[in-house]
Amino acid sequence: MKDNMKRNEKMEMLRFAITINLIIGLYNIFLFSYDKSIFNFMIGSLNIGVWVFFRDMKLIKAMVKKDK
């Protein structure tokens, strides 16, 4: 039972980190449109890319299961 709770906590923390990546990515894209800094565009694109590829919870479940 204790291991199951740890797995649920890990999944919840990963879901939170993915959501934070989306928020930071959108903010960096906004900064790019305001300041035209290519650095903000690159970081924003990478953050949104992380959200796109890891929003499917099947990948996260596989990662948590592999970590065990």
Side-chain angles (χ1 to χ4, degrees):
M1 188 74 168
K2 190 175 182 180
D3 291 334
N4 190 15
M5 188 165 181
K6 286 183 181 179
R7 184 182 308 157
N8 289 339
E9 288 175 358
K10 286 181 184 179
M11 288 194 44
E12 196 64 35
M13 292 302 287
L14 286 171
R15 185 178 296 153
F16 178 70
I18 291 168
T19 305
I20 293 297
N21 271 317
L22 175 64
I23 293 168
I24 291 173
L26 291 174
Y27 180 68
N28 278 317
I29 296 294
F30 168 75
L31 289 177
F32 168 72
S33 67
Y34 182 72
D35 196 22
K36 303 296 186 218
S37 172
I38 195 73
F39 177 75
N40 287 332
F41 179 72
M42 291 173 56
I43 296 297
S45 298
L46 288 173
N47 282 331
I48 292 174
V50 167
W51 177 76
V52 166
F53 288 113
F54 288 108
R55 66 183 172 178
D56 186 18
M57 294 307 292
K58 292 177 187 174
L59 293 172
I60 294 175
K61 288 179 185 177
M63 288 173 53
V64 170
K65 194 178 286 186
K66 183 179 178 185
D67 187 40
K68 185 179 178 185

